[in-house]
Amino acid sequence: MTSVLYTGAAGRMGTVLRAGLAGEFERVVLFVREEVPVLHAHEEIVNGRLSDLDAMTEAMRGVDVMIHLAAVADEAPWADILESNIEGTYAVFEAARRAGVRRVVYASSHHAIGFYPVTQRVGPADPVRPDSYYGVSKVFGEALARLYHDKWGLEVVSLRIGCFRPEPEDVRQLSAWLSHRDGVELLRRSVLAAGVGFAVVYGVSANTRGWWDNDDAAVIGYVPRDDAEAFAGRFTPDDPAPIVQGGAFADPSYRGGVW
Ligand SMILES: NC(=O)c1ccc[n+]([C@@H]2O[C@H](COP(=O)([O-])OP(=O)(O)OC[C@H]3O[C@@H](n4cnc5c(N)ncnc54)[C@H](O)[C@@H]3O)[C@@H](O)[C@H]2O)c1
């Protein structure tokens, strides 16, 4: 049996993923700064902030897999990105190392490569092209993950998550959509797969219009089942289509809000 710790457990993804995996892990620690409305089987709360390295290290004692979801999950002023996504992510990896956690599942984002044109296929080996300060912070997290794996042997699965929604909401998401069902399976495999080592996996459904080569999905045994094409009829040729994969995040005037 596996024990896990979530950061960001009360957020949009944490809420759906925890419900989808309820009862599957022996012990589930929720390291949160705000209230969690519904607690599922085996879940316990530790209140704290990402900046409190000692508290986080204590909370991670006895934990096998740390699931790092907490972040400013949109474009934002640099000071906010710095505090949550840069300093906070450093503290999370360092606490995991100190506490002897075996694996970190890191919620990265496709905004790490959002400046690639929609006409180009992209895989994990291609150079990063972040589309925002937010995207830069995810590149930082992936680099930190690589360091902690290479230097201290931490197992890491970095998930370049597309758009996690119940259904695709615009033309861009016909390519980038991650269904709730596939997202739950993605996290299940990220936690439970044996012998992972280091992997960078696109968190995306089996979309006919997908842009990303996902070789490392096989490393964790992730096989998506949903396809955004089933919703394509909702959109018309008049609907705005993206030029680059990150969509509005790449716009120089974008300050957050589309998410
Ligand atoms: N939802 C998506 O479609 C999507 C896409 C790509 C990547 N991601 C990534 O997945 C993760 C979860 O996304 P989400 O949509 O659930 O975001 P969210 O904004 O709904 O939740 C993020 C959570 O992190 C917490 N948090 C932020 N800063 C914190 C800090 N300094 N200390 C403690 N807690 C802090 C917030 O309180 C919140 O509960 C994020 O890392 C995000 O960047 C999400």
Side-chain angles (χ1 to χ4, degrees), residues 34-136:
E34 76 269 336
E35 292 306 306
V36 176
V38 180
L39 280 188
H40 303 292
H42 310 154
E43 287 187 344
E44 57 194 81
I45 287 195
V46 176
N47 282 112
R49 303 190 71 83
L50 293 186
S51 53
D52 191 341
L53 186 53
D54 290 340
M56 228 176 346
T57 305
E58 272 316 299
M60 285 190 204
R61 300 240 181 256
V63 164
D64 301 306
V65 180
M66 205 274 295
I67 302 161
H68 181 36
L69 301 177
V72 171
D74 194 354
E75 184 59 316
W78 177 250
D80 298 346
I81 297 281
L82 181 65
E83 182 190 348
S84 288
N85 299 15
I86 305 278
E87 301 278 12
T89 297
Y90 158 74
V92 159
F93 274 87
E94 178 59 13
R97 183 188 73 79
R98 291 185 188 185
V101 168
R102 177 166 48 82
R103 181 180 302 176
V104 172
V105 179
Y106 171 57
S108 183
S109 168
H110 70 287
H111 291 291
I113 51 93
F115 249 114
Y116 278 98
V118 297
T119 48
Q120 189 169 340
R121 291 198 68 77
V122 184
D126 289 313
V128 294
R129 291 185 71 176
D131 56 25
S132 49
Y133 294 142
Y134 169 70
V136 168

Side-chain angles (χ1 to χ4, degrees), residues 168-171 173-174 209 228 231-239:
E169 294 170 353
D170 55 29
V171 172
Q173 292 181 18
L174 294 178
R209 304 185 196 194
F231 301 90
R234 293 183 180 178
F235 307 103
T236 73
D238 292 336
D239 282 311

Side-chain angles (χ1 to χ4, degrees), residues 1-258:
M1 290 295 279
T2 306
S3 64
V4 304
L5 179 146
Y6 287 88
T7 68
R12 292 169 295 220
M13 288 197 72
T15 300
V16 174
L17 295 173
R18 286 172 35 243
L21 295 171
E24 293 197 26
F25 305 127
E26 183 180 29
R27 182 170 163 246
V28 180
V29 181
L30 311 180
F31 188 85
V32 289
R33 65 177 178 185
E34 76 269 336
E35 292 306 306
V36 176
V38 180
L39 280 188
H40 303 292
H42 310 154
E43 287 187 344
E44 57 194 81
I45 287 195
V46 176
N47 282 112
R49 303 190 71 83
L50 293 186
S51 53
D52 191 341
L53 186 53
D54 290 340
M56 228 176 346
T57 305
E58 272 316 299
M60 285 190 204
R61 300 240 181 256
V63 164
D64 301 306
V65 180
M66 205 274 295
I67 302 161
H68 181 36
L69 301 177
V72 171
D74 194 354
E75 184 59 316
W78 177 250
D80 298 346
I81 297 281
L82 181 65
E83 182 190 348
S84 288
N85 299 15
I86 305 278
E87 301 278 12
T89 297
Y90 158 74
V92 159
F93 274 87
E94 178 59 13
R97 183 188 73 79
R98 291 185 188 185
V101 168
R102 177 166 48 82
R103 181 180 302 176
V104 172
V105 179
Y106 171 57
S108 183
S109 168
H110 70 287
H111 291 291
I113 51 93
F115 249 114
Y116 278 98
V118 297
T119 48
Q120 189 169 340
R121 291 198 68 77
V122 184
D126 289 313
V128 294
R129 291 185 71 176
D131 56 25
S132 49
Y133 294 142
Y134 169 70
V136 168
S137 76
K138 295 301 184 181
V139 171
F140 168 81
E142 290 190 11
L144 204 64
R146 186 79 241 190
L147 175 72
Y148 274 74
H149 173 72
D150 286 342
K151 192 169 264 187
W152 291 291
L154 199 69
E155 292 190 339
V156 184
V157 183
S158 287
L159 299 175
R160 285 190 182 166
I161 299 160
C163 300
F164 185 66
R165 304 285 188 282
E167 296 177 354
E169 294 170 353
D170 55 29
V171 172
R172 192 176 78 88
Q173 292 181 18
L174 294 178
S175 301
W177 185 53
L178 173 64
S179 73
H180 283 186
R181 175 168 72 163
D182 286 338
V184 169
E185 175 62 9
L186 175 68
L187 185 57
R188 180 185 287 117
R189 300 307 313 152
S190 299
V191 171
L192 296 178
V196 163
F198 181 86
V200 178
V201 180
Y202 278 94
V204 67
S205 287
N207 302 326
T208 301
R209 304 185 196 194
W211 298 310
W212 304 318
D213 293 328
N214 213 359
D215 295 346
D216 278 5
V219 174
I220 60 167
Y222 169 59
V223 182
R225 290 195 287 170
D226 294 314
D227 183 346
E229 208 59 24
F231 301 90
R234 293 183 180 178
F235 307 103
T236 73
D238 292 336
D239 282 311
I243 296 166
V244 297
Q245 297 180 6
F249 278 61
D251 189 309
S253 63
Y254 182 65
R255 299 282 180 273
V258 168

